[in-house]
Amino acid sequence: MVKPKNSFKFYAMLALFLSLLVFLSGFSIGFLVNDFKQKSISSDLSNIMKLIESNEVEIALMNFLDDEISCEYLNLRVGSINQEVHELGLRVSAYEGANSVLTEEYYSIKKSYINALINNWINVEKARNLCSLNYSTILYLYALKEDCPRCEEQVYALSRIKSQYGIDSLIYSIDTTLGLEAVNMLMYSYNISAFPSLVINGKTHSGYASSQRIRELMGQ
Amino acid sequence: MELMLVFILIFSFSMLFFSFICILIFIDNYDRLWIDPKPKKKYSISAIIPAYNEQKSIEKTVNGIYMQDYPKELFEIIVVNDGSTDNTKKICQKLQKQGIIKLINKKNGGKANAVNLGIKNAKNELIYIMDADSFPEKNSFKSMIGYFNDPKVAAVSSSMKVNSKKNFFEKMQWIEYSLSILFRKIQSLFNSMYVTPGPGSIYRKSVINEVGGFNEETLTEDMEIAFNIQNKGYAIENSMNSIVYTNTPIFLKQLLKQRKRWYSGYFDDSSKYKHLLFNPKKGVLSALLSFNIVSVLSLIALFFYSGAKFAVNSKNSLILFKASEFAINIPSIKGFQILYGINFDLIIFALISALSALMVYMSLKSCNEKIDIKKNFPLYICYFFIYTLFLTVFWLTGFFHNFFLRKKGEGWHG
């Protein structure tokens, strides 16, 4: 009979130890990566918030100067800020997709992010009216899957719009579940009671809108 | 926490644990895996080949045994023609005339029935069973018989390799069988083998008689007898040096049929010997059987859960496929953003994949198979990500067949 060097219990204990070690290491690495992601999102957010603040001053200044050349400048600024906001949005959504358990710290960052989005949207609307800029703004208001079964579908329709119009369509995804006062005010002002809802160039559309319907609303 | 996440965590941990056990045992006992005990006396062997419509392979099988590097006077070959309707009988009659085999003709009654008849007619103390679609290397007998020096050893199994690896399914089974060779050896080191495969296993005749012969009412008589033997306190060994080549299914339909029988038989035998499960008195065999059945049932549950979830979200899932082409057109996704998609599941998944790849490498190395990572890399990827899905479906089919479709006492008549 060929006997093993050690008992099965020995191998099982060692395997259990290694499995736990790997699991704990996985948790630790996951935790570190998560921490890095949160910090990175937070730092990007504060940079964007500074840009938005500066943009607000630029709009006020332009209003004061009543200068046509400033409109060209503002157009460029709005474009670059929105590009950064959009990239941050993708990171936020990738982060949420990868983490089924989200921390309080993350929710706090997300609240700031949503506030920044609304701030940016206000600036763009102001700039659009002031300089007749060619942008279309879309506020997309969403809720939890249980309250909004067609939200996922709405995202795909908006993705199609984004891929078609690129920087000319500015889409702001607003999470209505965070209890933000600014969001409540928006919902009240634009008469939003169902999800998904879209505010396209200042006009409300309740319920799911196909990409074709969004194109029509953008053209109006 | 989401139910799916709990499933994934339990399953991941089990897979990690199992992979580590196998790797540790393999590395620690590497030098003794190929050591077979030398026989202390001359053992006489009766080789039994049950054959049903095996005209294509029977001659090769008989020759494989006849050409064994073992004194001819110490073994006999008995072919039991189980009511074949092709030329099997004719070919066997020719071999009988040449004095190579003893032929027994009977009405079709199933493999176990044919083997039992062969045993009744066998004159020797050791019984070598060989499926008629397989053939051994010539050192097979010599490698295995030394284990019978120990009176507690009731059976010794061989290492099974695929005979051909030309098409996709054969290649997948090549990896699968290579992994099994390593697992079986590890199991045998701890007296916990729960199958003595049909091709190339030797049994002590007295023990077969003691346990009442091969069960004719099961689909997997080679598994049932292994349970039965160990239930009586006997041991089963494995020789890695005794290589047997077997023909494997080429097409999906054949493979599904084979696996339905295997896995249905597994559930049937496990139910019959349920007292072996979660029974500390039965040692490693019980631990492995319990681990195996929990893993299989979790896999089936996971499959059901995912299926149900997919069905509920099917509308959205279909849109997801449709939308993906638009999503990739978003210009601002940069490579750096991939980092934001990394999570704990992904890290563990990568680790399990790496450990599984290591196990495949060790198995192939232990079988002296040619390892060409560059050439075979797509094969390994297919094995992990595609063939394992097929295996899940096979397990599911076996589960349903055994518990819902199979008639009580239905044996294998193939």
Side-chain angles (χ1 to χ4, degrees), chain B residues 52-273:
Chain B
Y52 174 72
N53 290 348
E54 300 286 0
Q55 61 177 14
K56 282 183 191 163
S57 55
I58 187 72
E59 207 161 354
K60 198 172 180 182
T61 306
V62 170
N63 281 335
I65 299 172
Y66 189 70
M67 298 309 286
Q68 282 297 302
D69 183 11
Y70 201 71
K72 293 271 180 288
E73 67 277 10
L74 286 179
F75 72 94
E76 62 173 350
I77 304 172
I78 301 169
V79 176
V80 184
N81 173 31
D82 191 23
S84 297
T85 51
D86 63 356
N87 282 327
T88 304
K89 190 176 171 184
K90 227 179 195 176
I91 297 165
C92 289
Q93 279 169 338
K94 184 188 84 185
L95 293 166
Q96 190 182 25
K97 272 182 195 164
Q98 290 168 359
I100 297 174
I101 63 163
K102 224 195 242 182
L103 177 65
I104 303 169
N105 290 304
K106 65 181 275 290
K107 272 187 188 171
N108 182 257
K111 186 187 163 189
N113 182 266
V115 171
N116 285 335
L117 185 64
I119 293 168
K120 264 184 202 163
N121 288 277
K123 61 178 187 192
N124 297 323
E125 58 183 314
L126 297 182
I127 303 291
Y128 179 76
I129 309 287
M130 175 56 79
D131 285 354
D133 59 354
S134 312
F135 58 94
E137 277 188 357
K138 65 177 187 178
N139 64 340
S140 197
F141 285 179
K142 269 191 169 174
S143 308
M144 298 165 87
I145 51 165
Y147 287 97
F148 288 98
N149 295 335
D150 182 345
K152 273 282 167 203
V153 172
V156 181
S157 71
S158 296
S159 297
M160 261 198 301
K161 288 189 177 184
V162 298
N163 187 25
S164 154
K165 44 181 181 186
K166 284 179 194 143
N167 85 355
F168 175 76
F169 286 110
E170 284 178 326
K171 282 174 183 165
M172 292 296 103
Q173 288 171 93
W174 165 61
I175 299 178
E176 188 187 15
Y177 277 51
S178 303
L179 270 168
S180 299
I181 290 176
L182 182 64
F183 290 153
R184 280 204 192 104
K185 186 66 201 178
I186 288 172
Q187 286 173 351
S188 78
L189 286 174
F190 296 98
N191 288 336
S192 54
M193 276 188 69
Y194 50 85
V195 63
T196 41
S201 292
I202 301 187
Y203 301 84
R204 208 184 281 277
K205 191 180 173 187
S206 56
V207 177
I208 294 183
N209 289 334
E210 188 186 328
V211 299
F214 282 83
N215 189 322
E216 295 176 17
E217 292 184 346
T218 178
L219 292 172
T220 43
E221 77 299 325
D222 47 0
M223 186 180 282
E224 200 278 338
I225 198 148
F227 275 106
N228 204 346
I229 284 171
Q230 293 187 92
N231 193 34
K232 296 268 182 196
Y234 291 103
I236 298 173
E237 290 288 346
N238 170 266
S239 166
M240 280 178 83
N241 296 315
S242 166
I243 308 289
V244 171
Y245 295 92
T246 188
N247 292 331
T248 49
I250 305 170
F251 303 111
L252 180 61
K253 199 178 162 187
Q254 295 172 324
L255 186 63
L256 178 68
K257 192 179 164 195
Q258 182 199 55
R259 297 309 166 97
K260 185 180 80 180
R261 181 176 69 78
W262 284 9
Y263 301 147
S264 178
Y266 169 82
F267 285 114
D268 185 33
D269 296 333
S270 299
S271 309
K272 192 175 166 195
Y273 291 91

Side-chain angles (χ1 to χ4, degrees), chain A residues 75-87:
Chain A
N75 193 10
L76 288 171
R77 287 284 288 157
V78 166
S80 72
I81 292 171
N82 271 290
Q83 186 59 31
E84 293 203 35
V85 169
H86 178 62
E87 280 177 19

